Structures are given as C-alpha cells and as structure tokens.
Amino acid sequence: METGNVTTPFGRRSMTLGMLANQVMAGEIKPDQSVDKWKLFRALCEAKPLLGIGDRALAVLNALLSFYPKNELAQESGLIVFPSNIQLSLRTHGMAEQTVRRHLAALVEAGLLLRKDSPNGKRYVRRDRAGEINEAFGFSLAPLLARAEEIEQLAAEVMAERLHVQHLRERITLCRRDVAKLIEAAVEEQIPGDWQGLYGEFRDLIEGLPRSPTAAQLELLLHELEVLRADILNRLETRIKSTKQRGNANYIERHIQNSNPESTSELEPSFETKQGAMAEQDKGREAETLEEGRGEVAQSRQEESRQSGGRNDGGGLKSFPLGLVLQACPEILAYGPGGAIRNWRDLMTAAVAVRSMLGVSPSAYEEAANVMGPENAATVMACILERGGHINSAGGYLRGLTRRSEKGEFAIGPMLMALLRANAPAGRKVG
C-alpha cells in the first residue's frame, strides 16, 4: 500500500490500528467493483445487530449517502462526501449537531466510514478549471463498497435467524395451547392422574423463559414442552383405549338384550322411543302427550306466580318428566352412554359431553346447575343442542338463562313445548 493513501485524523483524535486496517481494506477495491447504495443500505439495516450500530447512526449514514450523487457506489466516481454538520442535521430531520458528530464517530469505529481530514479539519472540495473535482476532504464511503459482500452475508444471517426464531415461537405457542387444553380436558373428564402437578411443571417452564430469549433458549423450551405434551397424550391415549374396550363390551351386552325386534327399551314407564326419533305412535297418543306437556307448563307457571316477589332460587324451577324432555330434544340421545339415555344420570352425563362440544365453559355449566338444579341444567343443555343452529354462543346463551332464572324470569316449560311442537311433524313422518 502506498503511504500517500494513508490519512490520519485531525486534531486530538488519535490514529488506531483499526483505522489503518480499514484504509488498507478500502485500498483493495477492484476498479470495476460497484454496488447499489440503497440496496446496500437496506442490507445494513438488517445487519445492524451484528455490526454494532443503532438506528440513529443509520439515519446519519442515510444522510451521507444522499449526498453521493449517483445510485451506484464505484471507485471511478469518487467515494468522498463532504457535507457540513449543519447540512447533515437538516437531512436527519433536525438531529442536534453534537448527536450527529457522535454517530459519525460510531460509524467510523464500526468500519463503515473513513475520515479524510483536510489540513484544518474542514470538509470541502477543490475543483479544476473544468469544474471537475480535483481533491475532496470529508468522509469516504469506500469501506461500504469494500465490505458490500460481507454486509449482505450478515444481513442474510440476521434474516435467517429472525425467521428461525419466529418459527420457534409459533411452534411453542401451538405446543403451549395443546398442553393447556389437554390438561383441562383431563381434569374435566376426571381422568385419574397428577394433573395439578403437570400443570405446575408446565407453568414453571413458561415462566422460566427470559423476557428476550435467544434461539437456543427457545429451542430448549420447545423440546421440554414437546416432551411434556407427549407424556400427557400417552396418558390420555391409554385412558381412551381402556374406555373403548369397556364400551365395546357394553355394546355387545346391549345388542344381546335388544335382539328381540318386538321389544322396546323403556326410558321411563310413560315414554317409549327409538334413538334419534320418536317411536311409532298414532295421532291420538301424540295429542295426549302434547296435552300432558301443556298441563305441566301451566302447572309450572302457576307455581312461579305463587313465589314471593316473582323471584326463583335454584330449586324454584319446575322439573319435567324425562320422557317429555327426550321427546322434545331427541338430539341429546346420541350423546348418552352407549348412545342411549335411560335415566336422569345418563342425561346429565350426556349434557356434560354436549357442553364440551358446544364450547360452554365448565364454570358456566356449574353456575347453571347451582342456580337451576342439575336436572334442569341438563335439560337446558339438551334444548340448546336442539336449537344449536339458531344460537351463536351457547355459553353466553346459558349464562343469560342462568341470570334470568336467578331473577325468576325463566321457565323451562315454554322452551320444551316449542321444541315438542317443532319435532312433532318429524315424528309423524317417521311413524
């Protein structure tokens, strides 16, 4: 390297080996080498974490690049820009001159700029008689051109790392959701196991993650969550297999008991049905059933009117015969144990399954059971299932009925009668 290509800083600024190395590197630029300055600047913005520069330093560099007259940085065009601090302050939207100087020093230290100071430290240019630049003093953009490939490679690494971290976060979010909902399902279904302990382990993993985790920390958390999820799934699958085996045995037993086509399975002494639809009845029997339902509704309304202040507590709602409930809400039959409902316990079991399917929270159903009573809460769930196509939020609808029941403003009878009338034509067609 020729000694004439080495410049030392003006004033009290000292010369360092880093500055000398940057000058040596800038002197090795190939004559035909060029790069789009704005494409390179975008790469710099991506690679800033690895280059050790901040946003405001990049704003100052952007201003310096705007003083370079061409879009392509090239050795033949000259790489010196010489704006004053006042001009740089204007192009950085009013940044204080002291702040501009500080960030210029940071860019030089990062090896992205070179100072070419004049004898008096001022920035200016000397031109010949033809107006061509003879010599310029200011900041050299040569390091940017010399390091263009390195900067683009660093930008690609940063982008790849960011995409990797984003992918890890997405997988962690899905795994967190799976673990939380699987534990919740296990608790709701009352599956034996230390689910509280597993949930505590899950929370410890999540809360142990730093606020700004590295990719390695995210990978470790994802691995631990996947192991926890696999453990939970293994327990649940074991439970499902054992339940399925018992269910097959029960199904075979029911099939033997119901092999006589002449017999019917009585859900109650006064109610005969087949799964999913009304049993074969004549019009006289149907009219009798409807009349019985109207009588029950009327009796329910009379009892409500006798209560003080027009209010009902949890036990104030009228309970209806199970046969009437199932005739009005035949859809619930498919969710009973083994696909049949023989008593109130079976109906309440089916209501829990329907609650989960419709997205009703356990707390909403528990509140309804406390206010209305367990049998009435199960009846209401059967009605909600029957009217599922007309209800946008089953959970919100149930909470609304619970609040009305607390105020004594809700009766199950009219709801059952409406469903009974709606299902009656279907029953006639089947019969």
Side-chain angles (χ1 to χ4, degrees):
M1 176 178 173
E2 297 180 1
T3 58
N5 292 332
V6 176
T7 59
T8 56
F10 172 78
R12 290 178 294 179
R13 292 192 294 267
S14 59
M15 183 68 178
T16 65
L17 290 178
M19 293 180 184
L20 182 60
N22 288 335
Q23 292 185 33
V24 172
M25 179 181 59
E28 297 175 350
I29 297 174
K30 298 177 183 178
D32 59 344
Q33 186 175 349
S34 65
V35 64
D36 185 288
K37 65 179 182 180
W38 298 123
K39 181 180 178 181
L40 182 61
F41 180 74
R42 287 192 293 271
L44 275 168
C45 292
E46 292 286 351
K48 67 179 180 179
L50 300 181
L51 294 170
I53 54 175
D55 296 338
R56 306 201 79 184
L58 285 172
V60 173
L61 182 59
N62 180 76
L64 283 173
L65 288 172
S66 68
F67 284 101
Y68 189 79
K70 296 184 178 180
N71 282 333
E72 293 285 329
L73 291 179
Q75 183 75 38
E76 62 182 13
S77 301
L79 294 169
I80 306 295
V81 290
F82 38 88
S84 67
N85 286 342
I86 294 177
Q87 291 173 318
L88 285 175
S89 177
L90 291 174
R91 294 208 183 180
T92 53
H93 307 287
M95 185 183 295
E97 290 186 36
Q98 183 178 0
T99 305
V100 170
R101 287 194 292 269
R102 185 170 70 252
H103 290 301
L104 285 171
L107 291 169
V108 172
E109 186 177 354
L112 300 176
L113 289 180
L114 280 179
R115 292 182 184 273
K116 187 178 179 183
D117 288 342
S118 65
N120 62 1
K122 301 294 184 181
R123 299 171 207 152
Y124 58 87
V125 62
R126 284 189 179 146
R127 301 179 184 271
D128 56 21
R129 292 185 177 181
E132 298 292 333
I133 295 177
N134 189 14
E135 189 171 14
F137 298 97
F139 291 100
S140 172
L141 303 176
L144 292 178
L145 182 58
R147 299 180 63 183
E149 292 184 5
E150 175 195 354
I151 292 170
E152 290 175 354
Q153 180 63 32
L154 292 175
E157 292 178 7
V158 171
M159 292 176 65
E161 180 72 5
R162 185 170 64 246
L163 291 176
H164 178 54
V165 169
Q166 180 181 351
H167 182 58
L168 286 174
R169 288 184 179 277
E170 289 174 351
R171 291 178 62 189
I172 287 172
T173 298
L174 293 174
C175 203
R176 285 180 60 178
R177 184 178 68 192
D178 292 345
V179 170
K181 289 187 177 291
L182 288 172
I183 291 177
E184 180 184 358
V187 172
E188 289 181 9
E189 300 294 337
Q190 299 180 352
I191 297 175
D194 184 18
W195 302 112
Q196 188 66 29
L198 288 174
Y199 184 76
E201 180 182 347
F202 167 63
R203 293 309 310 170
D204 289 341
L205 289 175
I206 299 302
E207 293 169 3
L209 189 68
R211 185 162 189 159
S212 299
T214 63
Q217 290 170 326
L218 291 173
E219 288 173 354
L220 178 60
L221 174 63
L222 177 61
H223 173 71
E224 292 174 339
L225 286 174
E226 287 177 340
V227 170
L228 181 60
R229 179 175 61 182
D231 182 25
I232 296 171
L233 283 173
N234 184 51
R235 299 186 187 202
L236 295 179
E237 288 173 0
T238 302
R239 176 70 175 182
I240 290 171
K241 290 177 182 178
S242 63
T243 304
K244 186 176 181 181
Q245 291 173 355
R246 292 196 301 269
N248 288 339
N250 292 337
Y251 175 79
I252 293 171
E253 181 180 355
R254 287 195 307 273
H255 180 73
I256 294 173
Q257 292 174 352
N258 296 334
S259 60
N260 183 3
E262 299 297 327
S263 65
T264 58
S265 175
E266 292 191 357
L267 301 178
E268 276 194 346
S270 61
F271 178 75
E272 296 179 352
T273 186
K274 289 184 179 179
Q275 180 180 335
M278 292 172 54
E280 296 184 357
Q281 301 176 13
D282 56 16
K283 294 183 179 180
R285 174 58 188 240
E286 179 183 322
E288 179 183 346
T289 303
L290 290 173
E291 188 62 32
E292 178 185 352
R294 292 191 184 95
E296 295 286 354
V297 173
Q299 181 180 356
S300 173
R301 289 176 175 172
Q302 291 173 2
E303 290 180 2
E304 290 173 4
S305 65
R306 288 198 297 268
Q307 293 179 354
S308 59
R311 294 181 57 85
N312 273 329
D313 55 16
L317 281 179
K318 169 72 175 178
S319 295
F320 291 84
L322 179 61
L324 181 65
V325 173
L326 296 177
Q327 190 170 352
C329 308
E331 294 289 337
I332 196 72
L333 287 164
Y335 298 89
I341 296 178
R342 293 179 172 80
N343 49 50
W344 281 106
R345 181 180 296 275
D346 289 349
L347 179 63
M348 287 185 279
T349 301
V352 171
V354 169
R355 174 203 67 72
S356 179
M357 183 194 69
L358 295 180
V360 178
S361 66
S363 60
Y365 185 75
E366 183 179 356
E367 183 183 4
N370 291 335
V371 173
M372 303 178 184
E375 294 179 353
N376 286 327
T379 300
V380 170
M381 283 307 306
C383 293
I384 292 176
L385 174 65
E386 201 70 27
R387 301 185 63 235
H390 305 283
I391 298 174
N392 293 328
S393 172
Y397 187 73
L398 180 61
R399 288 189 185 276
L401 295 182
T402 302
R403 287 193 294 269
R404 289 176 56 194
S405 181
E406 287 179 326
K407 299 177 182 178
E409 299 173 354
F410 170 64
I412 300 178
M415 181 184 296
L416 283 176
M417 283 304 303
L419 292 173
L420 200 61
R421 286 192 297 270
N423 289 326
R428 285 196 294 271
K429 290 177 183 178
V430 172

